[in-house]
Amino acid sequence: MFRNVLIADSGKGHVEEMVRMLREIPVVRQARLNLLHVVPEQAGEDFQEHWQEAAGIVAAAVGRLKLDPSEINTIIRQGDTKQTVLRVAEELHADLIVMGSRGLSRLQSILSNSASQYVFQLSTRPMLLVRDDLYVRHINKVMVAIDGTGVGDDALRLACELVREIPGGTLTGIHVTRQDLTPSRGGKSPADDVLERAVQRARGLGVSLQPVHRTGDVGRTVCAAAEELKSDLVVIASQDRRPVVAKALVDLDRLLGSSVSDYIRVHAPAPVLLVREPEGRR
């Protein structure tokens, strides 16, 4: 599942605490860890001083993670943080990026040149965002959003693979519709059918999924359910809607529009694992 994890650590926030929680899961403990720290482009004449400071930050992070230096690949690069994280993730073929986030709104993120929002928008790799204002808990209760259109198949699979490795771990699948759906003659609504398929797929992956159906705004309802159920991790899927020619550009319409994944990123009461799914999956 996760063989190569990239940790983008600025020396602040709860990223390292999240990594410690992840490493309690056997399937993650076997992954190769790569710790990245980026020296800003503006270092200029003070480059050597910044580089030494970065080396100290990285060494301290390895110590806090209680890892032998041989167990982790440390990387120091100079450049723009958001571009560097994307570039290194590609170089390493990382199958998970872990980053901290200040939990800024879309507009605030753009105006403040947020690295995590930029990577969240543009990376095609699974990304785990850990907000600075969250209390990171041991991962036991996982919630996955069930879309019902085929988007989210990879998110459900990944959530199952995680929970399967957690002793006593539970998985809740939430499907949100904007209004109550009329049951068919058999007494089942379309939402029931969507959740039943998810339950069967999870069972095939060795996990018992507890189905939950709610009505309302998708982003707000997922966040409210995660709060109510005290979820430790929220797994969501988002389609890659950007044209191939615009892969290197931030989709401002997406950032400023009503993006469900972006709302959950800002408001979820737990870390958010985003799984980017290919355009056109139905």
Side-chain angles (χ1 to χ4, degrees):
M1 180 178 56
F2 294 136
R3 296 176 298 279
N4 219 4
V5 177
L6 175 61
I7 308 160
D9 189 3
S10 63
K12 302 176 183 178
H14 300 306
V15 170
E16 293 159 15
E17 191 175 354
M18 187 76 247
V19 172
R20 284 195 292 272
M21 298 304 180
L22 284 171
R23 281 179 58 80
E24 294 180 355
I25 305 173
V27 72
V28 181
R29 193 180 305 132
Q30 300 170 8
R32 177 172 176 77
L33 298 182
N34 303 274
L35 179 64
L36 170 67
H37 185 81
V38 182
V39 176
E41 292 176 304
Q42 297 82 4
E45 295 179 358
D46 298 326
F47 172 76
Q48 192 62 37
E49 180 182 340
H50 280 275
W51 196 270
Q52 290 174 350
E53 181 183 352
I57 290 172
V58 168
V62 172
R64 288 191 297 269
L65 287 168
K66 298 180 180 179
L67 294 172
D68 187 296
S70 63
E71 296 180 290
I72 188 165
N73 176 35
T74 58
I75 306 166
I76 300 175
R77 293 281 181 89
Q78 183 180 23
D80 176 76
T81 300
K82 53 187 179 294
Q83 294 286 357
T84 303
V85 171
L86 288 170
R87 189 179 306 117
V88 172
E90 292 298 318
E91 291 174 7
L92 296 173
H93 302 290
D95 39 34
L96 178 65
I97 302 170
V98 185
M99 284 190 78
S101 168
R102 288 171 290 169
L104 300 176
S105 69
R106 291 184 292 276
L107 183 56
Q108 287 174 319
S109 295
I110 294 169
L111 294 177
S112 66
N113 199 26
S114 167
S116 63
Q117 169 59 20
Y118 187 96
V119 176
F120 185 80
Q121 169 67 12
L122 291 180
S123 178
T124 59
R125 301 175 183 278
M127 181 178 181
L128 177 57
L129 275 172
V130 188
R131 286 207 323 274
D132 293 347
D133 61 342
L134 288 176
Y135 175 74
V136 179
R137 300 186 294 257
H138 294 276
I139 301 173
N140 182 269
K141 298 178 180 179
V142 178
M143 170 179 285
V144 60
I146 306 297
D147 178 89
T149 66
V151 177
D153 285 351
D154 288 346
L156 176 58
R157 175 186 55 78
L158 193 150
C160 287
E161 289 176 351
L162 274 175
V163 171
R164 198 169 57 207
E165 296 284 329
I166 301 173
T170 63
L171 179 62
T172 299
I174 181 167
H175 177 59
V176 181
T177 53
R178 297 194 179 276
Q179 57 187 9
D180 286 324
L181 303 175
T182 304
S184 63
R185 289 183 178 179
K188 287 186 176 182
S189 71
D192 294 328
D193 292 334
V194 166
L195 286 168
E196 179 58 30
R197 288 195 296 271
V199 167
Q200 294 298 334
R201 185 156 189 264
R203 186 175 297 143
L205 292 167
V207 175
S208 175
L209 182 141
Q210 177 62 41
V212 172
H213 173 231
R214 298 284 170 83
T215 58
D217 175 84
V218 178
R220 288 177 173 80
T221 304
V222 168
C223 290
E227 179 72 40
E228 175 191 330
L229 298 172
K230 295 180 170 39
S231 301
D232 306 313
L233 180 69
V234 176
V235 185
I236 62 174
S238 178
Q239 271 199 337
D240 178 2
R241 297 191 297 109
R242 293 161 290 134
V244 174
V245 295
K247 291 292 183 182
L249 302 175
V250 176
D251 184 343
L252 291 179
D253 178 66
R254 181 73 173 274
L255 286 174
L256 293 170
S258 56
S259 166
V260 171
S261 60
D262 194 73
Y263 183 91
I264 295 173
R265 168 191 70 85
V266 174
H267 297 284
V272 176
L273 176 55
L274 175 78
V275 181
R276 185 77 70 185
E277 303 232 359
E279 171 72 20
R281 178 171 289 184
R282 293 290 185 270

